[in-house]
Amino acid sequence: MAGIYLLFLIPVCILLYLWLRVRLPIFRLPCLLHALTGYYCPGCGGTRAVYALLHLHPIRSFLYHPLVPYAAEVYGWFMLSQTIERLTRHRLRIGMRAHAGWLWGALGIVIVNVIVRNGALFFFDVDLFDLIPLLI
């Protein structure tokens, strides 16, 4: 049911953003961990990644935070496969099933992302977020 609600909520939010130019100031709050330590938390770049994905820049979205396109792809396939299976009254058994592997994959993506970003800062003094606009 949550997937169905998201399926309708996301387009409504996009339309509100595009037509009314609604700006929520909560998305402009800085990361407390980054402000205090200079290192990135596991969620840093997520909002920019969502913004890039909504503007049809999947590569930029992946570079900002790889969990966002991963989650969008898993969600999209889950909803599409479940819809097809239900429309065919379970004759086509292609519906994606939820299992822990998808969550473990997401956790692995977050851990690797944090290690790469903060490793580049710690060992090479390179902020990868500054390089992303130059790459694309």
Side-chain angles (χ1 to χ4, degrees):
M1 289 306 293
I4 293 172
Y5 293 139
L6 276 175
L7 194 60
F8 291 107
L9 183 65
I10 291 172
V12 168
C13 290
I14 292 171
L15 290 175
L16 284 174
Y17 174 79
L18 293 176
W19 287 340
L20 302 176
R21 295 293 181 194
V22 173
R23 301 286 195 264
L24 298 175
I26 193 167
F27 293 123
R28 298 211 179 235
L29 294 175
C31 174
L32 187 60
L33 181 72
H34 183 67
L36 293 175
T37 66
Y39 292 105
Y40 293 108
C41 76
C44 278
T47 305
R48 287 178 270 193
V50 170
Y51 183 84
L53 196 59
L54 290 176
H55 284 85
L56 304 177
H57 298 290
I59 296 171
R60 183 176 289 172
S61 175
F62 177 81
L63 293 173
Y64 278 128
H65 203 297
L67 182 64
V68 170
Y70 170 81
E73 188 173 327
V74 168
Y75 170 77
W77 175 245
F78 179 81
M79 294 303 292
L80 181 65
S81 67
Q82 289 293 323
T83 301
I84 291 171
E85 185 170 319
R86 288 168 197 242
L87 287 176
T88 62
R89 297 190 178 162
H90 304 285
R91 284 188 295 259
L92 282 176
R93 293 238 177 243
I94 64 168
M96 185 177 132
R97 306 292 178 244
H99 57 82
W102 297 111
L103 293 176
W104 285 111
L107 180 63
I109 288 171
V110 170
I111 290 171
V112 169
N113 186 42
V114 169
I115 290 172
V116 168
R117 283 210 198 285
N118 291 325
L121 268 175
F122 184 77
F123 293 112
F124 305 109
D125 198 30
V126 174
D127 189 350
L128 295 178
F129 279 129
D130 293 340
L131 297 178
I132 293 171
L134 301 175
L135 294 174
I136 298 174

